[in-house]
Amino acid sequence: MTNITYAIVEHDGGWAFRVDGAFSETFPTHDMARRAAERAANEQVVPGDATGISYEDKEGHWHDELSAGDDRPETDVEG
């Protein structure tokens, strides 16, 4: 199972959360950034509906699959 970590960090004169190198908006306080990260982390684990997906691999072949919608990652917030 995939694990996603939301890290609270100082950013652009305030606080933000970072996920896989991407920053959220900047918040004025650490607590506000942490609450936003916790909200995002909680939303990330909510199962969705089954849906069909199509994607092209690096060789240029297209694939069609069914995503069950219940294969959600584990999340945590640090900082």
Side-chain angles (χ1 to χ4, degrees), residues 25-59:
E25 65 185 278
T26 303
F27 297 90
T29 68
H30 180 279
D31 287 343
M32 290 176 73
R34 183 165 182 89
R35 283 194 304 270
E38 289 170 347
R39 226 177 6 260
N42 288 334
E43 290 173 3
Q44 188 76 32
V45 299
V46 174
D49 296 329
T51 186
I53 58 172
S54 297
Y55 66 93
E56 184 178 11
D57 66 23
K58 63 184 178 182
E59 285 85 32

Side-chain angles (χ1 to χ4, degrees), residues 9-25:
V9 295
E10 289 186 70
H11 182 66
D12 281 343
W15 295 88
F17 60 85
R18 183 179 60 220
V19 178
D20 198 24
F23 290 93
S24 70
E25 65 185 278

